Amino acid sequence: NIYASWCQQNLYYPFASLGDWEIMNFLLTSRLSMRAIDEFLSLHLTNSLPLSFSTAKELLSHAEMLPSGWCWNARVVPTTHPMKSPVTLYYHDLLDCVESLFNHPLFLKMMDYSPSCLFTTAECIVRVFMEWMSSDGAWDLQLKFPKGSMLCSVILSSDKTHITNMCGGKVAHPLLISLANIHMDIRNKGSSHAFLLLALMPIPAFTHPATQICSVLEVHLFHHCLDIVLEPLKQATHFGRMMSDPIGNLCYCFTLLVSYIVDTPEACMLACI
């Protein structure tokens, strides 16, 4: 982000304030025409507001300065068995997703940055387990990494979803990612957007006459695609990666997969049962 230095002074840059950002967001998502936006901004009451834009053209130029999202990567996955059509894996860079969650300003006070122990009293007799970073597992993993480093505990979730049943039976298999560092009550809220779309796993259609063989081939392809998507995670687990926290401090982070949320059929597929 080329405007990172400005964002340290003003969290809502290139907009002047939270109110400025909210009006921009309303106008750009309201499906109003450029002429209608100009008419709204020319109102006497609107002119009295401390806005950083006065025309629709200026509004769009401000919006174009906002950081863009991550680009999609597309990769054709070769197979040794015949299929009805080639399969393409669409995915984001995993570490970009992790860094986006880790340095999100809205999660500044809703994230744990180091393992902790909670007790009901000062005598430290009864221990309370609430978040992942308060568990023995987090303490055990932290001791395995260099002093001063930080755990970025990754959570994955996937589920094959039927998009349409009446019109062709379209199916999608999204793979989502989040961080266990984010507090559970915040992470589980859909409005928090704490789960990001990491990849769209391919839905293969093998032409082998034996149905059981097709099922085995589908599971093998899923594991192969998962290995492609998670390769950056493996590298960062071994060597670590420097990431910026929500206030701009650089942290030496190690990304470990600590949880995978699935239903029973998908759990059996992941376990190769």
Side-chain angles (χ1 to χ4, degrees):
N1 184 5
I2 60 176
Y3 306 108
S5 59
W6 293 94
C7 292
Q8 292 180 357
Q9 304 174 11
N10 176 17
L11 182 62
Y12 302 99
Y13 186 86
F15 300 94
S17 62
L18 174 60
D20 196 25
W21 157 261
E22 288 178 339
I23 291 179
M24 180 282 304
N25 185 53
F26 169 77
L27 292 176
L28 292 184
T29 57
S30 63
R31 298 184 180 179
L32 293 174
S33 63
M34 298 278 286
R35 180 178 178 181
I37 293 176
D38 282 330
E39 292 177 355
F40 173 79
L41 294 176
S42 63
L43 296 176
H44 179 72
L45 180 61
T46 308
N47 288 330
S48 64
L49 299 176
L51 300 179
S52 60
F53 48 88
S54 57
T55 63
K57 186 175 181 180
E58 290 181 2
L59 172 63
L60 293 178
S61 65
H62 279 57
E64 290 175 354
M65 296 171 64
L66 294 173
S68 60
W70 322 289
C71 62
W72 281 97
N73 300 313
R75 179 171 175 177
V76 177
V77 183
T79 59
T80 57
H81 294 78
M83 304 180 64
K84 292 182 179 180
S85 60
V87 293
T88 304
L89 172 64
Y90 297 95
Y91 62 101
H92 290 301
D93 186 276
L94 186 144
L95 294 181
D96 287 343
C97 296
V98 170
E99 190 165 4
S100 175
L101 291 169
F102 183 68
N103 60 26
H104 200 298
L106 297 181
F107 298 146
L108 173 60
K109 298 182 179 179
M110 307 171 186
M111 188 183 301
D112 296 321
Y113 299 94
S114 61
S116 59
C117 288
L118 302 177
F119 297 90
T120 56
T121 60
E123 289 76 13
C124 300
I125 299 175
V126 180
R127 186 175 172 185
V128 180
F129 296 93
M130 297 180 64
E131 303 291 340
W132 154 251
M133 295 298 278
S134 66
S135 67
D136 290 334
W139 281 98
D140 294 339
L141 290 173
Q142 183 70 67
L143 294 174
K144 296 180 181 179
F145 295 108
K147 186 177 180 180
S149 61
M150 186 176 298
L151 291 178
C152 279
S153 307
V154 174
I155 298 176
L156 295 179
S157 178
S158 62
D159 188 21
K160 186 180 291 187
T161 305
H162 288 271
I163 301 176
T164 59
N165 290 325
M166 306 298 292
C167 304
K170 299 296 183 181
V171 180
H173 200 161
L175 177 65
L176 308 178
I177 185 172
S178 185
L179 291 180
N181 303 62
I182 303 173
H183 294 170
M184 182 171 55
D185 58 335
I186 302 300
R187 186 175 64 246
N188 292 340
K189 286 183 180 179
S191 58
S192 299
H193 304 289
F195 275 90
L196 303 179
L197 179 60
L198 174 60
L200 290 173
M201 309 302 283
I203 309 296
F206 289 96
T207 58
H208 198 281
T211 306
Q212 294 180 346
I213 298 299
C214 290
S215 300
V216 173
L217 294 175
E218 290 175 6
V219 172
H220 178 77
L221 180 64
F222 182 86
H223 279 264
H224 181 51
C225 293
L226 203 60
D227 187 60
I228 295 173
V229 175
L230 299 184
E231 180 60 30
L233 181 72
K234 301 174 186 177
Q235 298 296 327
T237 299
H238 288 290
F239 305 107
R241 173 164 171 149
M242 299 300 295
M243 295 186 185
S244 175
D245 67 6
I247 60 176
N249 297 324
L250 284 178
C251 304
Y252 187 32
C253 301
F254 288 85
T255 57
L256 296 96
L257 178 61
V258 299
S259 179
Y260 200 128
I261 305 173
V262 290
D263 54 15
T264 302
E266 195 145 339
C268 294
M269 179 184 67
L270 290 171
C272 300
I273 298 177

mmCIF file of all heavy atoms in Angstrom, residues 144-146 230-241 252-256:
data_model
loop_
_atom_site.group_PDB
_atom_site.id
_atom_site.type_symbol
_atom_site.label_atom_id
_atom_site.label_comp_id
_atom_site.label_asym_id
_atom_site.label_seq_id
_atom_site.Cartn_x
_atom_site.Cartn_y
_atom_site.Cartn_z
ATOM 1 N N LYS A 144 8.569 -23.764 20.803
ATOM 2 C CA LYS A 144 9.346 -24.377 19.732
ATOM 3 C C LYS A 144 9.939 -23.354 18.770
ATOM 4 O O LYS A 144 10.756 -23.708 17.910
ATOM 5 C CB LYS A 144 8.488 -25.365 18.951
ATOM 6 C CG LYS A 144 8.004 -26.549 19.771
ATOM 7 C CD LYS A 144 7.146 -27.483 18.925
ATOM 8 C CE LYS A 144 6.641 -28.671 19.747
ATOM 9 N NZ LYS A 144 5.781 -29.574 18.938
ATOM 10 N N PHE A 145 9.532 -22.094 18.894
ATOM 11 C CA PHE A 145 9.980 -21.071 17.958
ATOM 12 C C PHE A 145 10.881 -20.062 18.664
ATOM 13 O O PHE A 145 10.917 -20.007 19.895
ATOM 14 C CB PHE A 145 8.770 -20.377 17.330
ATOM 15 C CG PHE A 145 7.936 -21.292 16.473
ATOM 16 C CD1 PHE A 145 6.695 -21.722 16.909
ATOM 17 C CD2 PHE A 145 8.412 -21.734 15.254
ATOM 18 C CE1 PHE A 145 5.939 -22.578 16.133
ATOM 19 C CE2 PHE A 145 7.664 -22.580 14.470
ATOM 20 C CZ PHE A 145 6.417 -23.005 14.910
ATOM 21 N N PRO A 146 11.621 -19.264 17.910
ATOM 22 C CA PRO A 146 12.575 -18.324 18.527
ATOM 23 C C PRO A 146 11.889 -17.343 19.479
ATOM 24 O O PRO A 146 10.716 -17.002 19.316
ATOM 25 C CB PRO A 146 13.179 -17.598 17.314
ATOM 26 C CG PRO A 146 12.964 -18.520 16.166
ATOM 27 C CD PRO A 146 11.699 -19.250 16.442
ATOM 28 N N LEU A 230 -1.749 -24.766 0.151
ATOM 29 C CA LEU A 230 -1.115 -24.635 1.461
ATOM 30 C C LEU A 230 0.407 -24.617 1.419
ATOM 31 O O LEU A 230 1.046 -24.562 2.471
ATOM 32 C CB LEU A 230 -1.572 -25.779 2.380
ATOM 33 C CG LEU A 230 -3.070 -25.865 2.672
ATOM 34 C CD1 LEU A 230 -3.352 -26.982 3.657
ATOM 35 C CD2 LEU A 230 -3.596 -24.549 3.199
ATOM 36 N N GLU A 231 0.992 -24.647 0.246
ATOM 37 C CA GLU A 231 2.450 -24.641 0.150
ATOM 38 C C GLU A 231 3.077 -23.412 0.813
ATOM 39 O O GLU A 231 4.068 -23.536 1.553
ATOM 40 C CB GLU A 231 2.871 -24.725 -1.317
ATOM 41 C CG GLU A 231 4.386 -24.734 -1.529
ATOM 42 C CD GLU A 231 5.067 -25.907 -0.838
ATOM 43 O OE1 GLU A 231 4.431 -26.971 -0.704
ATOM 44 O OE2 GLU A 231 6.243 -25.746 -0.437
ATOM 45 N N PRO A 232 2.537 -22.185 0.607
ATOM 46 C CA PRO A 232 3.124 -21.033 1.329
ATOM 47 C C PRO A 232 3.020 -21.159 2.843
ATOM 48 O O PRO A 232 3.900 -20.680 3.572
ATOM 49 C CB PRO A 232 2.300 -19.844 0.814
ATOM 50 C CG PRO A 232 1.736 -20.294 -0.487
ATOM 51 C CD PRO A 232 1.494 -21.759 -0.332
ATOM 52 N N LEU A 233 1.958 -21.806 3.322
ATOM 53 C CA LEU A 233 1.798 -21.996 4.764
ATOM 54 C C LEU A 233 2.910 -22.873 5.317
ATOM 55 O O LEU A 233 3.447 -22.611 6.399
ATOM 56 C CB LEU A 233 0.433 -22.619 5.048
ATOM 57 C CG LEU A 233 0.073 -22.863 6.513
ATOM 58 C CD1 LEU A 233 -0.212 -21.553 7.211
ATOM 59 C CD2 LEU A 233 -1.135 -23.787 6.624
ATOM 60 N N LYS A 234 3.270 -23.904 4.585
ATOM 61 C CA LYS A 234 4.335 -24.798 5.029
ATOM 62 C C LYS A 234 5.674 -24.061 5.105
ATOM 63 O O LYS A 234 6.448 -24.251 6.055
ATOM 64 C CB LYS A 234 4.452 -25.991 4.076
ATOM 65 C CG LYS A 234 3.180 -26.824 3.937
ATOM 66 C CD LYS A 234 3.347 -27.889 2.869
ATOM 67 C CE LYS A 234 2.046 -28.631 2.598
ATOM 68 N NZ LYS A 234 2.190 -29.617 1.502
ATOM 69 N N GLN A 235 5.930 -23.213 4.115
ATOM 70 C CA GLN A 235 7.189 -22.474 4.103
ATOM 71 C C GLN A 235 7.260 -21.494 5.273
ATOM 72 O O GLN A 235 8.294 -21.385 5.956
ATOM 73 C CB GLN A 235 7.339 -21.723 2.773
ATOM 74 C CG GLN A 235 7.392 -22.622 1.544
ATOM 75 C CD GLN A 235 8.602 -23.526 1.529
ATOM 76 O OE1 GLN A 235 9.672 -23.154 2.017
ATOM 77 N NE2 GLN A 235 8.459 -24.723 0.976
ATOM 78 N N ALA A 236 6.149 -20.787 5.524
ATOM 79 C CA ALA A 236 6.140 -19.815 6.620
ATOM 80 C C ALA A 236 6.184 -20.502 7.980
ATOM 81 O O ALA A 236 6.652 -19.917 8.958
ATOM 82 C CB ALA A 236 4.901 -18.927 6.517
ATOM 83 N N THR A 237 5.703 -21.746 8.064
ATOM 84 C CA THR A 237 5.776 -22.483 9.326
ATOM 85 C C THR A 237 7.222 -22.828 9.662
ATOM 86 O O THR A 237 7.622 -22.796 10.833
ATOM 87 C CB THR A 237 4.933 -23.768 9.238
ATOM 88 O OG1 THR A 237 3.567 -23.419 8.988
ATOM 89 C CG2 THR A 237 5.010 -24.562 10.525
ATOM 90 N N HIS A 238 8.012 -23.151 8.652
ATOM 91 C CA HIS A 238 9.411 -23.532 8.880
ATOM 92 C C HIS A 238 10.326 -22.318 9.047
ATOM 93 O O HIS A 238 11.215 -22.323 9.907
ATOM 94 C CB HIS A 238 9.912 -24.397 7.724
ATOM 95 C CG HIS A 238 9.328 -25.779 7.709
ATOM 96 N ND1 HIS A 238 9.647 -26.736 8.652
ATOM 97 C CD2 HIS A 238 8.445 -26.367 6.868
ATOM 98 C CE1 HIS A 238 8.992 -27.859 8.394
ATOM 99 N NE2 HIS A 238 8.253 -27.665 7.324
ATOM 100 N N PHE A 239 10.131 -21.297 8.221
ATOM 101 C CA PHE A 239 11.082 -20.192 8.183
ATOM 102 C C PHE A 239 10.537 -18.893 8.767
ATOM 103 O O PHE A 239 11.301 -17.978 9.033
ATOM 104 C CB PHE A 239 11.534 -19.939 6.736
ATOM 105 C CG PHE A 239 12.097 -21.157 6.074
ATOM 106 C CD1 PHE A 239 11.392 -21.831 5.092
ATOM 107 C CD2 PHE A 239 13.335 -21.659 6.449
ATOM 108 C CE1 PHE A 239 11.906 -22.968 4.475
ATOM 109 C CE2 PHE A 239 13.859 -22.788 5.840
ATOM 110 C CZ PHE A 239 13.141 -23.449 4.859
ATOM 111 N N GLY A 240 9.220 -18.802 8.960
ATOM 112 C CA GLY A 240 8.624 -17.592 9.482
ATOM 113 C C GLY A 240 8.472 -16.517 8.417
ATOM 114 O O GLY A 240 8.976 -16.636 7.296
ATOM 115 N N ARG A 241 7.763 -15.467 8.780
ATOM 116 C CA ARG A 241 7.544 -14.349 7.847
ATOM 117 C C ARG A 241 7.312 -13.076 8.659
ATOM 118 O O ARG A 241 6.620 -13.088 9.666
ATOM 119 C CB ARG A 241 6.344 -14.636 6.948
ATOM 120 C CG ARG A 241 5.944 -13.448 6.075
ATOM 121 C CD ARG A 241 5.044 -13.864 4.973
ATOM 122 N NE ARG A 241 4.496 -12.712 4.259
ATOM 123 C CZ ARG A 241 4.181 -12.718 2.979
ATOM 124 N NH1 ARG A 241 4.370 -13.814 2.271
ATOM 125 N NH2 ARG A 241 3.667 -11.655 2.391
ATOM 126 N N TYR A 252 7.688 -11.113 13.774
ATOM 127 C CA TYR A 252 8.232 -12.331 13.167
ATOM 128 C C TYR A 252 7.228 -13.456 13.436
ATOM 129 O O TYR A 252 7.163 -13.980 14.542
ATOM 130 C CB TYR A 252 9.590 -12.646 13.775
ATOM 131 C CG TYR A 252 10.337 -13.782 13.110
ATOM 132 C CD1 TYR A 252 10.201 -14.046 11.754
ATOM 133 C CD2 TYR A 252 11.216 -14.588 13.849
ATOM 134 C CE1 TYR A 252 10.892 -15.068 11.149
ATOM 135 C CE2 TYR A 252 11.917 -15.618 13.245
ATOM 136 C CZ TYR A 252 11.753 -15.856 11.899
ATOM 137 O OH TYR A 252 12.433 -16.887 11.291
ATOM 138 N N CYS A 253 6.456 -13.799 12.415
ATOM 139 C CA CYS A 253 5.297 -14.681 12.592
ATOM 140 C C CYS A 253 5.553 -16.063 11.998
ATOM 141 O O CYS A 253 6.201 -16.204 10.952
ATOM 142 C CB CYS A 253 4.055 -14.076 11.947
ATOM 143 S SG CYS A 253 3.599 -12.467 12.619
ATOM 144 N N PHE A 254 4.997 -17.053 12.669
ATOM 145 C CA PHE A 254 4.995 -18.429 12.178
ATOM 146 C C PHE A 254 3.544 -18.871 12.032
ATOM 147 O O PHE A 254 2.756 -18.770 12.978
ATOM 148 C CB PHE A 254 5.739 -19.357 13.142
ATOM 149 C CG PHE A 254 7.226 -19.164 13.140
ATOM 150 C CD1 PHE A 254 7.816 -18.192 13.939
ATOM 151 C CD2 PHE A 254 8.035 -19.937 12.322
ATOM 152 C CE1 PHE A 254 9.188 -17.998 13.936
ATOM 153 C CE2 PHE A 254 9.415 -19.755 12.305
ATOM 154 C CZ PHE A 254 9.987 -18.780 13.116
ATOM 155 N N THR A 255 3.204 -19.332 10.831
ATOM 156 C CA THR A 255 1.823 -19.696 10.520
ATOM 157 C C THR A 255 1.662 -21.205 10.644
ATOM 158 O O THR A 255 2.260 -21.966 9.890
ATOM 159 C CB THR A 255 1.467 -19.246 9.100
ATOM 160 O OG1 THR A 255 2.387 -19.841 8.170
ATOM 161 C CG2 THR A 255 1.562 -17.733 8.977
ATOM 162 N N LEU A 256 0.840 -21.605 11.586
ATOM 163 C CA LEU A 256 0.583 -23.029 11.798
ATOM 164 C C LEU A 256 -0.904 -23.306 11.634
ATOM 165 O O LEU A 256 -1.748 -22.518 12.075
ATOM 166 C CB LEU A 256 1.022 -23.467 13.197
ATOM 167 C CG LEU A 256 2.514 -23.383 13.516
ATOM 168 C CD1 LEU A 256 2.818 -22.080 14.232
ATOM 169 C CD2 LEU A 256 2.938 -24.556 14.364
#
